[in-house]
Amino acid sequence: MVVIDNFSPCPEQLVEDATTLTFSTWSQYYPGVRAQVTPRYFDGLAAILAPVVRDVFGFRNRLEVSGALYSLATTPPGDLALPQRIPHFDGVEDGMIAIIHYLTRAGASGTSFYRHRSTGFETVNAARHRIYLDALQADFRTHGEPPPGYIAGDTPIFERIADFAPAWNRALIYRSSLLHCAAIADDSALTDDPRTGRLTVASFLSAE
C-alpha cells in the first residue's frame, strides 16, 4: 500500500472536468455513478507512478492504464445491493494495480481493507477465487447476508485490518487483489454534484 499526497498537479481542474461529464451506473459493485476520465487526467502522473510500480510492487518492464473512472458515491444505505455491502477486489490477475484518488475537500469518507475470516484471505487472486466464493456462500448460510447499509468495521464475516482517511488530492495505490470497501457512514450526505459529493477517481493499471 502506498499513500501519496498532492498526487495530481491540477486537482481543481479535474473536479471542473468532472462537472462536464455524464455519469451513469457502471456495475453492481460500485455504490453510485461513474464516468470515464478526460485525457488530461494522467498528465504529469507518469513520473510519480513509474518509480512506485517499480520499487514498491516490483514491476519493471511494462505499465499500462487499463481504465480510469470518476466515481461518485450516491446510493442510499437501504438501496445497496449485496455486493455493495461487503468488501470486494478489483481484479485477480497478476500485475494488476489499483489507485483511489480523492477529490473531495471536506467531510469525505475513506477506504478500509479487510480480511475474510473463514479463509484468512486478505487478497483474492486467480488461485483463490473459487475457494473464496464458495467460502463466502457458506458464510452467508451460517451468518446470513449483511443487513442494508455500508460496511463499517468488523462483521461476523470480515475483519477490518486497515483504514485510510481521505484527504484532498490524496491517492492510495495498492494491488487490485486486496479486499476493500469505501468506508461510508450510513448518515453521510450523498450527492451527485462533483463539487460537493464523494468524488474519487478509480484507476486500474496493468504491469509486468
Side-chain angles (χ1 to χ4, degrees):
M1 175 69 63
V2 178
V3 180
I4 300 178
D5 287 331
N6 301 313
F7 181 62
S8 170
C10 54
E12 293 88 356
Q13 184 59 56
L14 297 180
V15 175
E16 291 307 307
D17 287 349
T19 67
T20 70
L21 302 175
T22 299
F23 284 72
S24 61
T25 301
W26 278 64
S27 76
Q28 63 177 330
Y29 297 101
Y30 185 75
V33 292
R34 289 179 144 170
Q36 287 188 334
V37 300
T38 55
R40 85 168 86 215
Y41 177 75
F42 284 97
D43 290 351
L45 294 184
I48 297 174
L49 292 174
V52 170
V53 170
R54 180 188 66 239
D55 298 338
V56 177
F57 297 103
F59 298 113
R60 300 177 179 276
N61 297 323
R62 179 180 61 85
L63 178 63
E64 297 178 356
V65 177
S66 300
L69 301 169
Y70 282 112
S71 305
L72 276 165
T74 58
T75 305
D79 294 341
L80 294 172
L82 175 59
Q84 298 166 344
R85 306 199 303 267
I86 61 174
H88 65 279
F89 47 88
D90 295 321
V92 299
E93 301 86 356
D94 292 338
M96 297 300 295
I97 296 170
I99 305 171
I100 299 175
H101 181 197
Y102 300 102
L103 290 171
T104 305
R105 287 193 178 276
S109 47
T111 303
S112 294
F113 291 79
Y114 288 86
R115 177 184 297 116
H116 180 233
R117 293 183 186 274
S118 64
T119 61
F121 293 167
E122 299 173 11
T123 62
V124 179
N125 59 18
R128 291 178 168 183
H129 194 191
R130 175 46 55 189
I131 298 170
Y132 170 74
L133 293 179
D134 290 345
L136 191 58
Q137 291 303 312
D139 291 336
F140 291 153
R141 290 192 294 270
T142 300
H143 301 287
E145 295 181 356
Y150 287 96
I151 184 171
D154 293 347
T155 75
I157 299 176
F158 293 96
E159 175 189 1
R160 182 162 64 181
I161 57 174
D163 183 56
F164 292 88
W168 169 249
N169 201 23
R170 170 175 289 173
L172 305 183
I173 306 175
Y174 57 93
R175 293 186 184 275
S176 297
S177 57
L178 280 166
L179 287 164
H180 65 284
C181 196
I184 299 174
D186 280 345
D187 60 355
S188 296
L190 302 177
T191 172
D192 61 2
D193 183 346
R195 293 190 180 96
T196 59
R198 186 187 186 272
L199 180 66
T200 61
V201 174
S203 300
F204 308 100
L205 311 179
S206 176
E208 291 180 349

